[in-house]
Amino acid sequence: PKEIFLKDYKLPDYYFQTVKLNFSLGEEKTIVCSEITVFPREEGIASPLVLDGQDLKLLSIKVNGKELKVEEYHLDSRHLTLLSLPRSTKFTLEIVTEIYPQNNTSLEGLYKSSGNFCTQCEAEGFRKITFYQDRPDIMAIYTCRIEADKTLYPVLLSNGNLIEKGDLEGGRHYAVWEDPFKKPCYLFALVAGQLESRDDTFITRSGRKVSLRIWTPAQDLAKTAHAMYSLKAAMKWDEDVFGLEYDLDLFNIVAVPDFNMGAMENKSLNIFNSKLVLASPETASDADYAAILGVIGHEYFHNWTGNRVTCRDWFQLSLKEGLTVFRDQEFSSDMGSRTVKRIADVSKLRSYQFPQDAGPMAHPVRPHSYIKMDNFYTVTVYEKGAEVVRMYKTLLGSHGFRKGMDLYFKRHDGQAVTCEDFFAAMCDANDANLSNFLSWYSQAGTPLVKVTSSYNAEARSYSLKFSQVVPPTRGQPVKEPMFIPVALGLLDSNGKDIPLSSVYHDGMLKSIEKNGEPIYTTVLQVKKKEEEFVFSDLSERPVPSLLRGFSAPVRLDSDLTDSDLFFLLAHDSDEFNRWEAGQVLARKLMLSLVADYQQNKPLVLNPKFVLGIKSILSDSSLDKEFIAKAITLPGEGEIMDLMEVADPDAVHAVRSFIRKQLAAELKAEFLKTVQNNRSSEAYVFNHSSMVRRALKNVALAYLASLEDMEFTELALHEYRSATNMTEQFAALAAIAQNPGKTRDDVLADFYSKWEHDYLVVNKWFALQAMSDIHGNVENVRNLLKHPAFDLRNPNKVYSLIGGFCGSPVNFHAKDGSGYKFLGEVVVQLDKLNPQVASRMVSAFSRWRRYDETRQKLAKGQLEMILSTNGLSENVFEIASKSLA
Ligand code: BAL
Ligand code: ZN
């Protein structure tokens, strides 16, 4: 397979101006005619025009109306090269192809989902529809005519505005859609099928009326109310916060059950994985409701950050994804709790991105190369990319960031641009010099920032010394220091923020007051390998609150003592750092117990930790969801990530021990928490109800971990009396922690209740797959044969196979049974859907982190996968890079 490099980017020799597509949809075959007006980049260009195309049957090619002779083009399995072209400034290209969407299990290009036609073109799926220059810097105006059987496919949708429709002979009908905005082909979309819509309208701030339609099969329509609410909220928010208005009179969303990703931002025709659209209180949890809000927002926000201004090439993916994730994070924060959202986002970054950044698949936010672009829709490009955007805002302030965004749109509307263009807009709009900030785009690896502090009582000064190291990653053995914004506050001995007026740095005393007002949080710019900042006029040693709000995606190693951390946990005005102090303490505690476990020492829980958890649990001044997050221990993956050699058994044993110990010692508090947070009100998705449910569910899980009859009964009671999925599923999960008849009965009961609802059944698969019950791989193997399971449906694969890989003890079982299971599934899955198979094979990528026995077993599976005939490029790339 061929590796593609950023450094090899070349401007296209030909651009496309208009594209007219005509689809004749059929059961046996679909005919696609395209008519493209082509113009050379410069007059006189005589090079061949190379079009991408895959799995297409070429029927004819015409240039300026004249059929090309066989010697005038070259066709292979990936390209159609037009060798002899007119030297005129503009010409017309007409291509007819035949495709077979009904056989397309890769779910890219045009395919069928539950009998309906739909498309997924990003990143490089358009080449499975017709021959085209399938690259984002080819932007054109599209018209799309769709014709199909009227009974089977009464609804025909594409991008833009419907300009014509009518009936045809033989029970067929057609529709013509015209999109007035230039777009790259990855934003093209088509949907045809039996769908109904929930309709609403949105009046933009300039008074335009936009029709909003959410399309699903008729039986699901009732579950689209929350998605519609989310869409309208997102449209309003983008106007309020960024001054960005929707630009067409129609916005369509279609929900389909078979979809590789979460959703897709096709111009005015977003296509969604149905799990991110459909919700009712009985079938969807609070987490589902929150995800729908965030992703509906995300896809909508792409209309400006991605569609109106797009990427020059796929290496720039984070230009649209990092920025749009940042925008959806901010949207969700504004709609709910900012601190809790930040905690959730940082936890995700630590659990998934940090490990990626430290493994063989580490890549910069802007990768330097790829074999399959699909493999780079990663937590690094998305989540670390969002952190990079957040750092601009931290450094420039809200107002400065908005000025930068405004300039970015002013300069680049209608263009395909690069990360440097975004950087330049931010700097130019603010007259800012962000020196080496761009290395966030080019250097992989999570920087490690060490901080040491010292207080000089005589000089009344307090010094913070920073040093940073960016660890080596594949292809990048040596790194430059990064530009790290460190938001900082200093606490006095009463736990109050000390007003900050100046800091001594680099031989200069710098004022940090703002218009004479004191500042309580300042942003230090750490740019060198080693740097010192000195604060003066301090009558006592302060306790520093470092990296407030997680102001940079780094690992922080400070010399804070446990007592400093307990102090911050109790007092920090930055709520994120209160949570963080608790997490640092928990991480330290867990690591030290893991060492004890490995040395066969008895496990003893530090009573101070129990007291800390108790005081949070009973602090009624705190937000309930904050409490829920603060009493949740760091995940097993996070702890393994901090070990020299990851030991899943020891980490699992320690985490379970602490959970049980806390449950036993704080039984009364947890029980009170469950009792006090019951409610007989009907389900509402609002902050106060959600946080109540979140806290109750965490407390219930603690109690049920005790395997005590009383609490199993309690969980059963909660399960039976629940009127919404959030509480019902949490009770089920609490019971399912412990093997036995009750677990089996309740799982069976849940299935029989919900077997008609595939989204709920997926939760049921995931819960069992993630179980840490000993030898669970056999249960998962059996579930593969369950009538509700289907390897062709990505959601089911993510639930069952992905869920299983998320259970460290079973996936990393020392007998290799988990690895063998995954190896077998990947080989099977790759034949159906390479994108999904390559996501699954990623679970092996950090095999070197484990002991020798596990290394050998995992490596054996990777080698077996690589030796499979006909392996996809997707899986090849991940498996071979994992072994390299
Ligand atoms: N562009 C792919 C799906 C998403 O990130 O919105
Ligand atoms: Zn996106």
Side-chain angles (χ1 to χ4, degrees):
K2 197 173 147 222
E3 190 148 17
I4 299 162
F5 292 88
L6 168 61
K7 64 179 168 43
D8 295 340
Y9 173 83
K10 285 197 184 68
L11 288 173
D13 281 342
Y14 296 92
Y15 287 103
F16 295 170
Q17 195 168 41
T18 58
V19 178
K20 279 192 196 155
L21 297 169
N22 191 344
F23 288 81
S24 177
L25 303 173
E27 298 312 291
E28 308 284 312
K29 62 186 185 195
T30 288
I31 306 289
V32 185
C33 307
S34 78
E35 187 186 320
I36 308 171
T37 48
V38 184
F39 62 98
R41 177 165 43 84
E42 284 166 17
E43 223 173 292
I45 278 189
S47 48
L49 169 56
V50 183
L51 303 173
D52 305 288
Q54 219 175 305
D55 306 336
L56 305 171
K57 182 169 168 188
L58 177 65
L59 298 185
S60 75
I61 327 167
K62 285 182 191 165
V63 171
N64 283 339
K66 217 173 123 229
E67 192 89 34
L68 284 195
K69 300 193 196 95
V70 280
E71 63 273 19
E72 291 177 313
Y73 65 88
H74 174 76
L75 180 65
D76 63 30
S77 64
R78 295 299 171 97
H79 298 108
L80 170 63
T81 307
L82 308 185
L83 303 166
S84 104
L85 294 168
R87 284 192 179 223
S88 57
T89 50
K90 204 190 269 187
F91 61 90
T92 311
L93 178 62
E94 288 166 85
I95 302 180
V96 184
T97 54
E98 188 173 294
I99 54 175
Y100 315 98
Q102 68 280 5
N103 300 332
N104 181 353
T105 58
S106 71
L107 313 189
E108 47 172 1
L110 180 64
Y111 66 95
K112 289 191 93 174
S113 175
S114 292
N116 296 331
F117 285 95
C118 66
T119 52
Q120 172 55 37
C121 295
E122 188 176 2
E124 297 179 331
F126 195 73
R127 63 188 62 189
K128 289 185 159 187
I129 293 176
T130 183
F131 291 99
Y132 201 81
Q133 291 194 89
D134 190 356
R135 44 189 285 173
D137 54 357
I138 297 295
M139 297 176 81
I141 301 281
Y142 282 64
T143 311
C144 176
R145 182 179 179 282
I146 310 164
E147 104 173 41
D149 183 278
K150 192 171 179 176
T151 314
L152 293 174
Y153 311 103
V155 175
L156 305 174
L157 305 172
S158 189
N159 317 88
N161 304 313
L162 178 67
I163 55 166
E164 198 186 322
K165 64 176 181 174
D167 290 336
L168 299 164
E169 280 178 3
R172 290 172 74 79
H173 71 148
Y174 75 96
V176 183
W177 290 83
E178 190 180 68
D179 182 354
F181 290 94
K182 276 202 301 187
K183 66 168 175 286
C185 64
Y186 81 85
L187 292 173
F188 168 78
L190 174 157
V191 171
Q194 296 188 3
L195 299 161
E196 295 199 1
S197 63
R198 173 185 291 271
D199 296 1
D200 210 325
T201 50
F202 179 83
I203 309 290
T204 69
R205 62 178 190 164
S206 68
R208 273 185 320 101
K209 187 169 155 188
V210 182
S211 295
L212 311 176
R213 299 206 179 109
I214 301 183
W215 299 87
T216 68
Q219 70 270 19
D220 290 331
L221 212 55
K223 290 194 196 169
T224 56
H226 177 64
M228 185 61 88
Y229 155 82
S230 304
L231 175 60
K232 290 168 80 175
M235 294 177 86
K236 172 83 170 64
W237 184 88
D238 218 13
E239 292 186 348
D240 292 347
V241 177
F242 286 104
L244 297 171
E245 202 175 305
Y246 186 61
D247 51 12
L248 281 166
D249 298 334
L250 175 62
F251 190 83
N252 282 308
I253 289 176
V254 181
V256 299
D258 305 280
F259 206 70
N260 286 343
M261 303 199 253
M264 179 63 211
E265 71 264 23
N266 317 299
K267 182 77 186 190
S268 77
L269 177 52
N270 287 187
I271 300 181
F272 269 65
N273 186 321
S274 49
K275 79 169 178 194
L276 288 162
V277 172
L278 305 180
S280 71
E282 298 75 32
T283 61
S285 65
D286 287 334
D288 297 325
Y289 272 74
I292 290 170
L293 179 78
V295 179
I296 293 261
H298 179 98
E299 306 310 328
Y300 174 75
F301 301 143
H302 267 314
N303 190 53
W304 279 95
T305 49
N307 301 4
R308 290 286 290 254
V309 183
T310 194
C311 301
R312 185 194 72 173
D313 54 74
W314 287 123
F315 297 102
Q316 319 296 329
L317 181 63
S318 196
L319 173 74
K320 75 178 177 78
E321 295 304 346
L323 177 53
T324 307
V325 170
F326 168 76
R327 275 152 56 67
D328 86 52
Q329 290 176 346
E330 287 294 291
F331 168 58
S332 295
S333 294
D334 286 346
M335 302 294 289
S337 153
R338 181 158 285 270
T339 303
V340 169
K341 176 68 180 147
R342 190 71 188 127
I343 290 171
D345 292 336
V346 173
S347 299
K348 184 173 179 190
L349 194 79
R350 282 201 179 118
S351 305
Y352 302 101
Q353 200 280 325
F354 280 18
Q356 180 170 74
D357 233 353
M361 273 304 290
H363 55 274
V365 164
R366 176 168 58 191
H368 297 301
S369 71
Y370 60 79
I371 292 175
K372 275 305 276 185
M373 187 55 211
D374 311 320
N375 285 331
F376 288 83
Y377 285 71
T378 60
V379 276
T380 298
V381 168
Y382 275 63
E383 269 69 28
K384 187 173 179 181
E387 294 300 321
V388 172
V389 174
R390 187 173 294 280
M391 287 190 285
Y392 284 110
K393 190 176 172 201
T394 302
L395 289 164
L396 302 171
S398 293
H399 183 62
F401 183 73
R402 170 68 195 269
K403 282 202 298 186
M405 290 291 282
D406 290 349
L407 185 60
Y408 175 65
F409 295 122
K410 189 165 165 232
R411 280 182 178 170
H412 301 298
D413 189 10
Q415 296 177 4
V417 302
T418 64
C419 298
E420 278 83 1
D421 292 317
F422 186 78
F423 173 81
M426 284 291 154
C427 294
D428 295 351
N430 291 283
D431 230 349
N433 173 9
L434 298 181
S435 56
N436 57 335
F437 188 84
L438 276 172
S439 56
W440 281 108
Y441 292 100
S442 57
Q443 291 195 153
T446 308
L448 174 66
V449 178
K450 286 200 173 166
V451 189
T452 49
S453 58
S454 59
Y455 177 66
N456 182 333
E458 228 168 90
R460 293 160 56 92
S461 68
Y462 182 66
S463 143
L464 286 169
K465 282 190 182 145
F466 291 82
S467 67
Q468 57 160 306
V469 182
V470 189
T473 46
R474 196 174 63 93
Q476 294 188 328
V478 183
K479 310 276 174 80
E480 294 299 314
M482 308 286 265
F483 186 137
I484 300 171
V486 177
L488 163 112
L490 299 177
L491 274 66
D492 68 18
S493 52
N494 295 317
K496 294 269 172 287
D497 276 328
I498 299 171
L500 306 172
S501 53
S502 61
V503 61
Y504 188 79
H505 173 241
D506 244 359
M508 277 179 1
L509 187 68
K510 201 181 140 220
S511 164
I512 43 181
E513 280 174 343
K514 212 174 193 177
N515 311 324
E517 293 287 313
I519 292 282
Y520 297 100
T521 300
T522 187
V523 178
L524 306 178
Q525 299 188 358
V526 176
K527 300 180 197 169
K528 296 185 205 147
K529 213 165 170 319
E530 287 179 351
E531 246 166 317
E532 183 179 20
F533 295 83
V534 182
F535 295 87
S536 47
D537 245 354
L538 296 165
S539 56
E540 56 179 353
R541 174 192 173 267
V543 177
S545 168
L546 296 157
L547 210 69
R548 280 186 159 172
F550 200 66
S551 58
V554 300
R555 292 182 198 264
L556 186 72
D557 179 6
S558 75
D559 59 359
L560 290 180
T561 62
D562 282 2
S563 104
D564 290 336
L565 291 165
F566 278 114
F567 185 78
L568 290 169
L569 178 61
H571 301 292
D572 201 333
S573 65
D574 185 83
E575 276 202 11
F576 176 87
N577 264 6
R578 276 188 86 171
W579 170 79
E580 178 67 359
Q583 293 291 300
V584 177
L585 282 164
R587 287 199 287 265
K588 284 170 84 170
L589 174 82
M590 288 169 84
L591 284 170
S592 98
L593 287 176
V594 163
D596 291 347
Y597 180 90
Q598 289 174 325
Q599 293 161 34
N600 288 322
K601 290 187 187 159
L603 299 182
V604 183
L605 187 58
N606 180 350
K608 271 188 91 177
F609 187 76
V610 182
L611 278 179
I613 298 285
K614 184 177 173 179
S615 73
I616 291 172
L617 196 51
S618 38
D619 185 343
S620 58
S621 71
L622 290 170
D623 178 273
K624 287 185 179 178
E625 203 178 0
F626 176 85
I627 300 177
K629 297 267 184 219
I631 63 174
T632 300
L633 299 171
E636 293 175 16
E638 209 181 309
I639 301 303
M640 286 197 288
D641 205 31
L642 300 171
M643 299 173 71
E644 194 94 2
V645 177
D647 182 343
D649 297 325
V651 173
H652 181 66
V654 163
R655 194 168 188 276
S656 306
F657 163 77
I658 304 178
R659 278 174 54 76
K660 281 195 179 182
Q661 200 66 24
L662 286 171
E665 296 193 32
L666 303 175
K667 216 184 270 183
E669 286 78 5
F670 283 127
L671 187 57
K672 213 163 78 188
T673 305
V674 172
Q675 288 162 345
N676 291 348
N677 286 289
R678 289 186 178 127
S679 164
S680 53
E681 279 171 26
Y683 177 93
V684 237
F685 176 72
N686 66 17
H687 187 71
S688 63
S689 319
M690 244 172 70
V691 300
R692 176 185 64 68
R693 289 187 287 265
L695 182 55
K696 177 186 155 212
N697 291 341
V698 173
L700 183 65
Y702 267 109
L703 290 171
S705 75
L706 289 170
E707 299 188 57
D708 183 317
M709 200 54 202
E710 180 192 349
F711 299 121
T712 306
E713 282 300 324
L714 175 75
L716 273 172
H717 169 80
E718 298 305 316
Y719 173 77
R720 292 190 190 118
S721 57
T723 56
N724 59 71
M725 182 51 68
T726 310
E727 285 168 297
Q728 185 178 125
F729 194 75
L732 174 71
I735 295 164
Q737 292 178 85
N738 309 316
K741 184 164 174 339
T742 311
R743 175 187 202 263
D744 298 345
D745 290 349
V746 183
L747 280 169
D749 177 75
F750 187 85
Y751 182 74
S752 68
K753 247 192 197 103
W754 294 113
E755 62 182 312
H756 60 279
D757 190 311
Y758 63 93
L759 292 175
V760 182
V761 170
N762 287 345
K763 294 180 188 297
W764 180 81
F765 277 129
L767 179 66
Q768 295 173 82
M770 286 187 293
S771 169
D772 53 22
I773 285 180
H774 184 70
N776 193 43
V777 67
E778 280 316 309
N779 300 330
V780 178
R781 275 190 188 276
N782 287 333
L783 286 170
L784 272 186
K785 293 181 229 137
H786 192 280
F789 186 76
D790 183 352
L791 206 56
R792 285 169 304 182
N793 177 270
N795 288 356
K796 293 183 200 280
V797 174
Y798 300 146
S799 296
L800 191 60
I801 320 298
F804 175 73
C805 300
S807 154
V809 268
N810 282 309
F811 176 55
H812 297 290
K814 204 136 189 177
D815 62 1
S817 54
Y819 298 154
K820 186 162 179 293
F821 168 73
L822 183 64
E824 287 168 15
V825 172
V826 164
V827 169
Q828 234 184 315
L829 189 56
D830 191 43
K831 298 187 193 337
L832 296 169
N833 188 327
Q835 279 188 30
V836 176
S838 105
R839 285 196 196 177
M840 292 301 108
V841 84
S842 304
F844 282 123
S845 66
R846 300 209 69 207
W847 61 278
R848 283 195 179 85
R849 298 275 305 118
Y850 297 85
D851 56 81
E852 269 179 38
T853 313
R854 287 183 170 96
Q855 283 192 17
K856 207 164 147 242
L857 291 163
K859 187 166 174 248
Q861 289 302 319
L862 281 168
E863 285 165 350
M864 180 280 289
I865 291 168
L866 276 174
S867 69
T868 305
N869 276 338
L871 195 70
S872 68
E873 289 181 329
N874 302 61
V875 171
F876 171 82
E877 178 165 35
I878 305 287
S880 59
K881 286 183 176 169
S882 299
L883 282 178

